[in-house]
Amino acid sequence: MSTEEQTVSDNQLRQVRIEKLNTLREAGMDPFRANASQTHTSKEAISLYQDELPDEEQKTVSVAGRIVAFRVMGKATFLKLFDRDGKIQCYVRRDEIGEEEYARFKKLDLGDFIGVTGSLFRTKSEEITVRATSYVLVTKTLRPLPEKWHGLSDEDQIYRQRYLDLIVNEESRNRFALRSKIIQEIRKFLWQRDFMEVETPVLQSIPGGASARPFNTHMNALSCDFTLRIALELYLKRLLVGGVERVFELGRVFRNEGVSRRHNPEFTMLEVYQAYTDFRGMMELVKSLILHLCQEALGTTTVLRYDGTEIDLANGWSERRYKDLIIEATECPDWFELSKEEKLKKTTEMGIEVDPELEDFEVTNNVFEKRIEPTLIQPTFVTHLPRQLIPLAKLSPEDETTVEVFELCINGQEIAPAYSEQNDPLAQRKMFEEQAGEEIQKVDNDFLDALEHGMPPSGGMGIGIDRLVILLTGAANIRETILFPPIRPTEG
RNA sequence: GGGUCGUUAGCUCAAUCGGUAGAGCAGUUGACUUUUAAUCAAUUGGUUCGGGGUUCGAGUCCCCGACGGCCUACCA
């Protein structure tokens, strides 16, 4: 037992509870029982109450949970139990459970887990309550709960001790329940459309499908270095080659880059690939998917941003070309005829800082990321992006400087990119080699070999699940959607 | 990485110009058999994030460090 790091006061609170625990043991009781009876959850129990029946004929239930409120009023006590469905009030009277039991009962602490058996009734103030005929201590707690009214607000502690946040902050609890529901409904939606869910390697020797710095690790058995995957794309496309015509993976990817309100080094990605369709097919798919989530998980098609702005996910959709957006934002109709130097001059005039070493198309993309993306609050498909930005997509037949892709932007951030996937192995190889020339990046020859065996024409799409959850839950921050975000370890 | 703000009791927060570290909740003791942040009375609890400095005197001023928030940078 390590007590040395705790303060004196903390130890006192803890010591009192340890003494209570010892007293129970001496009386022959187990303060950490192996099981408890829970015939109904709080919500189920409350729904069983029947207004037309007198108290004597109401149902008997056994509920179990953590004590989150405890009001002793002499010979009777009201308490609130907290379980997975919510809270339920219980009423315990000395004359109903016995004098000796009641004396022990009064020594319970906030935070302890108990089971209560009794029948339902409605109190004077109309709250449906379990009138205890018996109770049992299930698990004794040694540490106090955070303050009952203000809860827990220290952000550091919320992340380090998320369990406390979940106990006392209902908003947080609901957000994670909704995240779970969203993921469940994504699977349902894709299963209904005959997609197969797969799992591909997290440990990869050549991280591909995106351009990001990877995390490095080492595999002893093969005695070689691996990286954690930065995208799912290249393995899922191998499956298209293998005849899996509809495939998706929902999994964690890792990028060894900055942390911000919108970025977390490990995040959850959905990638979907469908043969015999293109990016237009993906447009229909992603729109239907988001509407499905609205209906099945949210129960509404309008969501509120943390700042109160309304987003209309049913009727707000539009489609814009990348070039048109750039020309509008720069108020410069001949933007794409300008030299790089002229573009740099313009961006400086617009107050956008751009590294002059960047390529021409990157300067333009800075305008997109800094001046356009943040303004795309309502769902917008941005199409016809420059080919250099996306090496894994097919060229647009009508304008070969652009590719057949969209980036779906909602809430001022990119939610889902989708492509008509490049399946010309020679064009793909050329693109990779050009890239590898510029950056220190290895060409995934194994993937190119696969393409040479033939990949059917396909549409592919990716969704950053964490950002989708930010959108649908109105969270202010990506960390509000991640149960245990990375934090610096405390010393010792 | 840079800028900036912050760290006081288990939790939420005060503390005037540099002058005795406080409140509410939780805990402890007592009263109370329909309470709702129960109420009433009494009471315990502090390395003021750590280290150094200035000063008769530092939670408060200065320096260094740790941790965190926000902004920013990096990031297909």
Side-chain angles (χ1 to χ4, degrees):
Chain A
M1 196 179 295
S2 91
T3 54
E4 57 214 9
E5 280 166 33
Q6 289 155 19
T7 66
V8 175
S9 166
D10 193 10
N11 261 331
Q12 282 180 357
L13 291 168
R14 199 164 160 270
Q15 199 52 46
V16 169
R17 292 183 180 217
I18 287 177
E19 277 160 22
K20 286 180 177 179
L21 190 152
N22 289 335
T23 308
L24 288 166
R25 285 214 163 111
E26 280 157 22
M29 283 169 211
D30 181 3
F32 301 100
R33 294 167 69 100
N35 205 348
S37 156
Q38 185 186 39
T39 61
H40 300 81
T41 67
S42 53
K43 206 164 129 194
E44 289 163 355
I46 288 166
S47 73
L48 286 178
Y49 182 80
Q50 289 177 282
D51 271 312
E52 61 279 10
L53 295 181
D55 280 0
E56 312 80 69
E57 290 173 37
Q58 296 290 344
K59 279 258 166 38
T60 292
V61 296
S62 291
V63 291
R66 190 191 283 275
I67 302 175
V68 290
F70 199 69
R71 294 184 283 271
V72 183
M73 308 183 49
K75 299 178 188 68
T77 297
F78 286 91
L79 63 86
K80 279 248 161 92
L81 283 190
F82 169 62
D83 67 15
R84 70 177 185 276
D85 260 0
K87 291 174 192 167
I88 187 163
Q89 180 166 266
C90 300
Y91 178 55
V92 182
R93 291 166 60 112
R94 190 174 78 169
D95 57 9
E96 288 179 34
I97 67 163
E99 221 163 290
E100 197 185 332
E101 269 303 304
Y102 191 73
R104 245 196 304 273
F105 168 82
K106 279 209 291 184
K107 297 280 182 195
L108 289 174
D109 287 300
L110 282 175
D112 290 350
F113 286 86
I114 65 170
V116 172
T117 299
S119 58
L120 297 163
F121 77 108
R122 207 186 266 279
T123 65
K124 253 188 208 164
S125 45
E126 305 267 286
E127 183 161 350
I128 295 166
T129 300
V130 179
R131 187 188 193 103
T133 49
S134 67
Y135 86 96
V136 58
L137 170 65
V138 179
T139 303
K140 186 72 195 158
T141 54
L142 300 183
R143 305 278 188 112
L145 289 177
E147 208 254 3
K148 66 180 173 189
W149 188 238
H150 300 95
L152 187 64
S153 61
D154 182 299
E155 298 207 32
D156 187 31
Q157 207 178 345
I158 282 176
Y159 300 136
R160 285 184 202 278
Q161 294 180 281
R162 179 67 86 180
Y163 47 91
L164 294 178
D165 175 49
L166 292 174
I167 294 166
V168 299
N169 294 332
E170 190 178 5
E171 201 189 350
S172 177
R173 203 159 57 236
N174 290 342
R175 193 181 304 117
F176 288 110
L178 188 51
R179 179 178 176 127
S180 173
K181 179 75 175 162
I182 287 166
I183 288 171
Q184 186 185 326
E185 289 299 333
I186 288 172
R187 288 204 162 95
K188 269 197 205 163
F189 176 88
L190 291 168
W191 290 340
Q192 278 163 11
R193 291 193 173 208
D194 207 22
F195 282 86
M196 180 169 119
E197 180 171 10
V198 298
E199 291 154 284
T200 64
V202 171
L203 297 174
Q204 306 183 346
S205 51
I206 302 173
S211 151
R213 256 189 304 168
F215 285 89
N216 298 307
T217 186
H218 182 82
M219 191 185 289
N220 290 337
L222 301 183
S223 136
C224 61
D225 290 336
F226 275 80
T227 60
L228 304 188
R229 66 183 173 191
I230 56 173
L232 313 174
E233 182 149 356
L234 301 189
Y235 278 95
L236 295 179
K237 284 184 174 171
R238 285 170 169 91
L239 296 176
L240 287 170
V241 172
V244 186
E245 291 177 2
R246 296 184 178 204
V247 66
F248 77 96
E249 180 166 7
L250 191 50
R252 205 70 63 83
V253 299
F254 306 84
R255 298 185 181 178
N256 207 344
E257 281 160 7
V259 178
S260 79
R261 222 171 53 189
R262 299 191 156 94
H263 298 82
N264 198 62
E266 55 175 303
F267 61 100
T268 303
M269 182 99 118
L270 168 71
E271 286 195 27
V272 181
Y273 292 86
Q274 179 176 345
Y276 312 116
T277 189
D278 59 10
F279 83 113
R280 290 276 162 199
M282 291 294 109
M283 256 184 206
E284 185 279 324
L285 183 89
V286 69
K287 194 173 168 184
S288 302
L289 172 61
I290 288 179
L291 281 171
H292 174 88
L293 296 178
C294 285
Q295 281 152 13
E296 302 301 318
L298 276 186
T300 170
T301 53
T302 51
V303 294
L304 284 182
R305 255 154 64 104
Y306 65 97
D307 66 357
T309 315
E310 228 175 63
I311 302 176
D312 181 353
L313 295 174
N315 307 303
W317 299 71
S318 62
E319 185 178 328
R320 302 297 310 278
R321 287 185 178 225
Y322 185 86
K323 283 186 176 171
D324 295 342
L325 289 169
I326 294 286
I327 286 167
E328 264 176 44
T330 56
E331 296 174 336
C332 182
D334 57 350
W335 174 268
F336 289 92
E337 278 84 61
L338 298 180
S339 68
K340 193 180 105 179
E341 284 64 34
E342 288 168 317
K343 284 177 180 146
L344 280 170
K345 200 174 153 222
K346 286 268 185 192
T347 52
T348 310
E349 281 167 17
M350 292 172 73
I352 305 173
E353 271 182 55
V354 181
D355 180 352
E357 299 299 307
L358 290 182
E359 299 283 326
D360 195 315
F361 74 93
E362 292 174 307
V363 175
T364 302
N365 203 44
N366 257 282
V367 175
F368 180 76
E369 285 178 357
K370 294 193 177 141
R371 284 301 151 83
I372 299 171
E373 203 176 289
T375 67
L376 301 176
I377 307 297
Q378 304 302 324
T380 309
F381 289 114
V382 179
T383 64
H384 295 81
L385 274 70
R387 55 184 292 186
Q388 298 95 326
L389 278 177
I390 296 164
L392 291 156
K394 279 185 172 300
L395 299 183
S396 296
E398 70 219 75
D399 176 358
E400 297 221 327
T401 65
T402 67
V403 277
E404 285 219 313
V405 306
F406 68 75
E407 280 192 358
L408 173 59
C409 295
I410 317 179
N411 195 17
Q413 46 186 310
E414 185 191 330
I415 294 284
Y419 319 153
S420 297
E421 300 295 343
Q422 179 57 278
N423 65 345
D424 174 343
L426 301 178
Q428 185 69 84
R429 184 180 296 276
K430 205 172 147 214
M431 204 70 202
F432 275 4
E433 280 165 357
E434 277 171 25
Q435 262 207 328
E438 296 159 12
E439 300 161 39
I440 310 152
Q441 201 171 335
K442 280 186 270 181
V443 173
D444 191 339
N445 284 309
D446 181 68
F447 169 69
L448 291 170
D449 285 352
L451 276 194
E452 292 193 3
H453 284 90
M455 186 181 91
S458 306
M461 180 193 61
I463 299 185
I465 297 298
D466 312 82
R467 288 185 180 181
L468 183 69
V469 175
I470 290 178
L471 169 69
L472 297 179
T473 62
N477 193 306
I478 198 168
R479 277 187 292 183
E480 289 183 356
T481 70
I482 295 171
L483 280 168
F484 299 100
I487 37 180
R488 216 177 290 273
T490 49
E491 288 189 31

